[in-house]
Structures are given as structure tokens and as C-alpha cells.
Amino acid sequence: MPQLRIALAQVNAGVGDIAGNSSMVLDWTREAVQQGAHLVAFPETVLAGYPVEDLALRKSFAAANRAAVESLAQRLQQAGCGDALVVVGHLDRDDEGVRNSASLLYDGRVVATYDKHHLPNYGVFDEARYFAPGFDLPIVRLHGLDVGVVICEDIWQNGGPVSALGEVGVDLVVCINSSPYERAKDDQRMPLVAGRAAEAGAPMAYVNMVGGQDELVFDGDSMVVGTDGQVLARAPQFTEHLLVLDMDLPAGGHTATTVPEESGRIRRPAFDITRTVLQADPLPPYEPLPAQPLPEPLPDEAEVWAALVTGLRDYVQKNGFRSVTFGFSGGIDSAVCAALCADAIGGNALYGVSMPSHYSSEHSRSDAADLARRLGCHFEVQPIGDMVDVFVRRLELSGLAEENVQARCRGVTLMALSNQHGHLVLAPGNKTELAVGYSTIYGDAVGGFAPIKDVPKTLVWKLAQWRNAEAEKRGEVPPIPENSISKPPSAELRPDQVDTDSLPPYEILDVVLDGYVEGDRGYADLVGEGFDAELVERIIQLVDRAEYKRRQYPPGTKITLKAFGRDRRLPVTNRWREVRP
């Protein structure tokens, strides 16, 4: 059977950085060709980054994408990579609108371009707003093998290009993706890829983006799956990786170029299919590379931790920050955020600030200092008692107003230090607090990024315990003080305050929240599942009243596709600059 060496380049692209992304594609292609690859595939919109959001509406941006594709084809030829077929995702534009496209580069030319057919418009996706769907289906023959290309959502919807490829016949399907991470997504992704490979009657090479972009994080998890559902090769999650694999593929001698439109209520679209011959003859037999072992799947806590580290690291770096700061309260949330920072950007780039008030306990102060020692980060103490007293006396504050002014004095302090030293301020609040409004606007919600915004409180504890256990396995000092994990959580804004004064126990609250928000179950459903009716009513009221506060919260890494604040549209990191003469 004809042989083919393919390489899937699982890379981290930056939104708007067309020049940087093009150079990255060139470098990774060189590496793949040096390893003998005949076909190299990159993720969806790798030249533009993902998600581009309103950059897609700029005609000059789409034009720059197309110019970069054509220039890249020539640069690859000049670099000695012209004999490899390179699949590159980018934006394009024609009379019908902007396209989410994949171009096939070979011998210094753009030999074919495929436009994404299925455009997702749910969850974090808004592609139907920006892009026009494509109906052209190019197939190229490379070394005697017919190769078709699809893009991400094209495999998540029934019918469409995958079905058409199966109808007319191909030997390999390349699927390029920018598929965001969510917990246990591989439970859906891997069977989906296997099912589409069977539908196409050809193995599927699935390459995915890796890295963070604003609220989204991409886990990679690129793979090659055979028509029998067997995983032939797989890349590790959350790291850039070049996955190289030799394949023996049966050449089907396919010639069909039409797919009839199906009758019935749901019609399969008829695609305009073209076949282009690049290399008609199979390669001479060669010695294949040794098979690489498949990476072990990550346990749940390890996977979530890696997602949070990736999202935080890339948000900091892609926005040009060199350091971060936030309040070290001695509690579990700030301790987990600090450990994430140490793993993401290093302890030397973390500036912790303890801001005790009159109600701060001695153990909170000592736990904050202990956390800083364990992480080797910068640490300072800035008492806020005197600032609070001025507001309380001048405005005659009491009760909740007095509690909140403490949090707001801390917010002002952190923003002042940010202005003075250029740190990015982080907001260490968790998903449970955000859902029920248990935070102070312009206080503990202050910051440019919220690392655990999408992590329920009970999962925060699990992550802390997991991270400490991992450190102990490696003979390292656990990063999180045990007291921060074991003590009852408290905002410490009044004497002897604990969270359960205002909220149900977290182990119950998180289950009800998951049902109400993630599961879209209503009052009657939750009561029917055995939860106390008064408790359910209380939690639902807290969530519904907290809607405004959620909209004020800074962006954070989404670890599910149905995170709180999911309807919020955030600006992208914009490295794109239109150059005018």
C-alpha cells in the first residue's frame, strides 16, 4: 500500500499576529520536513489566531491573511519545503463575505482552498456572525493518495463535507481545529473523530490548537484515528508538539466529483468537488519511523490544573505583562491562585500583598506569609485599617457597607500598586462566589483576569489537595499551606465571620448550582431530585440577583463551554496593526 508520512503541528498562535504566526508555521514546517514529513497540517485560523472576533470584520485584516498565505507558500519553497503539502488555516474574503479557510500549499503555490462549511453559533462561538459558509470541496492527490480537508465544526455536525468525502471517496481526511477545552471533552472528541473516520471511509488526522486566548484555552490533544476507531497516534495535552506518523493507506483510485443532493426534510448540500493531482505516483517504499507510545490520559484534577496554568500563562504573556499581583488573604482561593501563578509564570513574577484589616485573624496573616515562603515569590504587607477608618467615620458606615469598604480599600491598594509597578492584578474569586454574588464590586472583584473564575469552590479544594500531593511525590515542599485548605473559609470583614453565615454549605451549594446553571434544571426539577425546597428557592434567587455582578467580573479561563458569564463578549489581544503608507 502507498506510504505517507504526516506531521500534525500542535502550536500556540496569537490573535492578530499574522507575521509571528507565519514565521511559526515556517519554522515548524522546516522541522517536520527535516523529519521526512510529506504532509504537514496546522490548526484552524493559525495565521490569524482564534478567536479573531471583530477583527474578522476588517477587510484589511482578511486581505493581510490572504497575502500572508501566498507569501508563506513562496517562503516554504525557498526554505526547501516545497515538496511537502502544507495545510494552513487562515481568514479569507470574497464577494459573499469573510471565510474561515484552509489553504493547501505546495511547490510555492496555493494549490487549493477549502472554506469551512458548518459555522458554530452557540456557547463561546459566534462564527455565523462573522463568516460565510463554503460549498467548494477540493481534493488533492499526493503521492498517489487522495486527501480531503475539513475544519473543526464540520465534524461536529451530521452531513456536510465529511459525508460528501465519504460519498466520492478519499484516502485521508485532514481536520484542522481550534477546539476549546472543557472538562472531559475527550469523552466526546475521540469517539466523534472515530465516527467521522468511519463515515468518510478513511483515517482522520485531527490537529488542534494549544494555548490560551483571553477566556478560552485550547488543549491540543491532536490525534490520528483509523477507520476502525483505533487511535494510531496522539499528542500530549497543553503543550506544543509535532506529531509525526507513517501511514500505509490503500489508494482507492477515486474519480467521482459529484454528490447528489438528498431529498427529504433535511437535505445534504451538494458540494462543488474538484480533484487536483500533485503527485500521481506512490512513493518508493521506505523504512517507517518506530511507533510512538500513546500518552496517558490526564486525571481530572491534573487536566483542570493544566488548563488553568495554560490560560493564565498565555493571558499574562500575550498581553505583554511581566508580573502579576493580588491579595494574599491566607485563604484557599488566593493560595490556589498563587500556586497556579508559580507554575504558570514563576514565583519571581508574582507579587503577593497581605492587606490586613481590624478583623483579619493572626492565622490568616501567618498563612499568607507561609504561602509566599513556599512559592519563593515577592511579598509585602500593606495594612488597610487606617484607610477603612477614614471612610467609616466620614460616611458613618455600618453593617454591609462597612464590610464592603474594606474590600474596596484592598482593591484601590492593588490597582495603585499595579499603576506604580506595571503588575497585572488578578481577581482570585471562584465560580461559586461569582454565581451567587458573594463578592464586592470594585473590591475583591478588582483585576484584569480571574484565574479560577470557572472553578467551583469544592473543586478549588480538590485542586489544592492534588497539587500538594503532586509536590510530595516529587519530594518538593507542598506549595499550599495545609491550614489554608483545612480552615473554614471566611471573608473576615466582621468579627468571627465564616462563609456559611451567608451561604449554604459549599458541598450542597455547588451541586445545586451545577444543576441550575450547567444542567439548566428548574426549581421543580431540583426539588424533585430531593433538595430542600426552601434551599433551592434561596439559591435560585441568589443566582438571578447576581447577574449584574457577574457582568462586572474580569475574564478568566473557561474550563467548560457553559461557564457563568458565557454571553459576555470580551476584547481580543490585538497585535494586528493596519499599515498605511
Side-chain angles (χ1 to χ4, degrees), residues 18 87 120 136 139 200 208 212-213 258 299 318 457 459 483 525:
I18 298 175
V87 183
D136 293 338
I139 299 170
N208 192 26
Q213 183 62 49
T258 58
K318 289 181 179 181
K457 185 76 170 189
L459 181 55
N483 197 41
D525 299 317

Side-chain angles (χ1 to χ4, degrees), residues 97-180:
V98 184
R99 308 285 191 172
N100 182 336
S101 303
S103 280
L104 286 67
L105 314 183
Y106 183 80
D107 194 27
R109 299 174 294 122
V110 178
V111 296
T113 296
Y114 168 79
D115 300 323
K116 189 174 183 178
H117 176 70
H118 290 295
L119 302 174
N121 203 44
Y122 56 86
V124 300
F125 304 108
D126 204 13
E127 291 196 21
R129 175 188 176 198
Y130 297 113
F131 303 124
F135 293 89
D136 293 338
L137 195 57
I139 299 170
V140 299
R141 182 161 296 177
L142 178 69
H143 300 303
L145 297 165
D146 288 336
V147 179
V149 174
V150 296
I151 302 177
C152 203
E153 188 72 11
D154 289 333
I155 69 169
W156 289 87
Q157 303 296 329
N158 292 325
V162 175
S163 178
L165 290 173
E167 186 84 13
V168 300
V170 290
D171 302 309
L172 175 68
V173 179
V174 175
C175 181
I176 67 172
N177 306 266
S178 287
S179 175

Side-chain angles (χ1 to χ4, degrees), residues 483-507:
N483 197 41
S484 294
I485 299 175
S486 59
K487 66 185 176 184
S490 170
E492 294 191 330
L493 299 177
R494 63 174 183 263
D496 301 319
Q497 181 184 28
V498 292
D499 289 3
T500 49
D501 294 340
S502 304
L503 301 174
Y506 283 113
E507 60 270 18

Side-chain angles (χ1 to χ4, degrees), residues 519-532:
D520 199 24
R521 294 194 287 277
Y523 170 84
D525 299 317
L526 293 166
V527 172
E529 292 175 12
F531 294 103
D532 178 75

